[in-house]
Amino acid sequence: MDETPMYFDMPGNTTIDKVGSKTVSVKTTGHEKQHFTVVLTCQADGKKLRPMVIFKRKLMPKETFPPGVIVKVHPRGWMDETLTKVWLDEVYMKRPGALLKPRSLLVWDMFRAHCCDSVKAKLKEYRTRQAVIPGGCTSILQPLDVSINKPFKTYVRKLWNTWMISGEKEFTKGGAIKRPGLSLVVEWVKEAWDSIPEQIIIKSFKKCAISNAMDGTEDDMLYEDLLASSPGEGEEEHKDEGEEKAHKDEDEDEKMRI
């Protein structure tokens, strides 16, 4: 499980213009800093649980949202202790087999709301142990951070770009484009989450050394990328042989010149 911030405007980090241009205009609705939070949850077997979207407001909007996404509000648009317990009840305990309360492991970061006593009590009730990722280690130990959040956000940005180019929009009296509607944003979140393949999730867990194989047969997957980027023993031998042959050729050429 991981909370990730998102924004109503999501322009890319690169632009294309003529060489020498001093300024490059980027068309947005002016809401680049207005954020909301998306809570993503997945299992080591590749299964995805319902995403939760938290908008920055005090009252629930009256819009109709697409099914399959839980929508909540918070004055700061962020997760807190209360919403963490709501997530446990409405997302975590709705996963397949959760009613039987099997012994489970929940991996998340050390955000304060994750570690408060009331949340720990709920986890104990649900027979769940928590593995808290130390600060600064989520980029290597949090599956969502390692392989999933980036393609998810990229997909949402693609949908935002398509909407900016050809989507149906509303305008202010001054002619400015209004930000995308909340229901449309939730629809983007759902479509982007549905696009993430199970195999990416499974591999991401294994890259973080989180595996359902209790016999340890998948523990080495943590080092696969490191091994793939390092030359093997055979490659080193061929390299040495090539260098040695090159030196011999140089010596023979020198003798012929003499």
Side-chain angles (χ1 to χ4, degrees):
M1 176 269 215
D2 190 32
E3 302 97 341
T4 184
M6 302 200 64
Y7 299 86
F8 285 96
D9 274 333
M10 293 164 273
N13 296 323
T14 58
T15 58
I16 299 176
D17 209 328
K18 295 179 181 179
V19 176
S21 298
K22 293 183 179 180
T23 59
V24 179
S25 299
V26 178
K27 189 175 183 180
T28 69
T29 69
H31 293 81
E32 299 91 340
K33 295 184 179 181
Q34 188 174 346
H35 77 276
F36 58 95
T37 299
V38 177
V39 185
L40 299 176
T41 313
C42 51
Q43 300 181 162
D45 61 1
K47 296 293 187 297
K48 292 173 286 188
L49 305 188
R50 290 189 298 171
M52 186 163 83
V53 180
I54 305 171
F55 290 116
K56 185 179 180 180
R57 52 189 298 149
K58 294 181 179 180
L59 301 175
M60 277 293 295
K62 296 181 180 180
E63 299 182 38
T64 301
F65 297 103
V69 181
I70 297 173
V71 178
K72 300 294 179 183
V73 296
H74 185 272
R76 297 177 62 187
W78 191 239
M79 191 71 129
D80 63 4
E81 180 178 345
T82 300
L83 285 176
T84 299
K85 289 186 288 185
V86 170
W87 173 85
L88 285 170
D89 291 334
E90 297 186 19
V91 178
Y92 181 69
M93 287 305 293
K94 299 296 183 181
R95 71 192 192 281
L99 291 177
L100 300 176
K101 295 185 179 179
R103 293 192 179 277
S104 305
L105 178 69
L106 176 60
V107 181
W108 54 12
D109 58 40
M110 48 187 312
F111 177 52
R112 182 171 54 190
H114 297 167
C115 304
C116 58
D117 292 339
S118 62
V119 170
K120 289 179 179 179
K122 262 193 176 294
L123 291 175
K124 186 176 181 180
E125 177 188 344
Y126 297 151
R127 301 181 70 193
T128 297
R129 288 192 176 187
Q130 59 175 336
V132 180
I133 302 170
C137 297
T138 56
S139 61
I140 55 176
L141 296 177
Q142 167 60 280
L144 284 152
D145 272 353
V146 170
S147 305
I148 302 169
N149 284 349
K150 184 176 180 180
F152 169 78
K153 289 187 174 183
T154 298
Y155 198 101
V156 175
R157 180 177 287 112
K158 183 185 75 171
L159 295 173
W160 176 84
N161 281 324
T162 301
W163 175 77
M164 284 295 297
I165 294 170
S166 58
E168 185 177 342
K169 306 176 187 67
E170 294 182 1
F171 297 85
T172 63
K173 292 181 179 179
I177 302 174
K178 291 185 178 181
R179 62 164 174 74
L182 301 185
S183 58
L184 180 60
V185 170
V186 171
E187 188 176 322
W188 291 346
V189 168
K190 184 179 186 301
E191 185 176 339
W193 188 228
D194 290 342
S195 73
I196 303 297
E198 286 189 2
Q199 286 303 315
I200 288 182
I201 297 174
I202 293 171
K203 187 174 181 180
S204 184
F205 270 86
K206 292 177 180 178
K207 282 172 63 68
C208 296
I210 304 171
S211 170
N212 286 329
M214 295 296 100
D215 57 359
T217 54
E218 297 176 337
D219 290 355
D220 290 342
M221 292 192 69
L222 177 66
Y223 306 103
E224 274 188 353
D225 289 346
L226 180 62
L227 293 173
S229 62
S230 303
E233 293 181 1
E235 294 176 359
E236 288 291 344
E237 290 175 0
H238 290 309
K239 181 180 178 182
D240 293 340
E241 290 174 1
E243 291 178 350
E244 185 178 349
K245 185 178 183 300
H247 289 312
K248 286 182 179 179
D249 291 342
E250 290 176 0
D251 292 340
E252 290 178 0
D253 290 343
E254 185 67 25
K255 289 179 181 177
M256 289 176 67
R257 285 196 294 271
I258 294 173

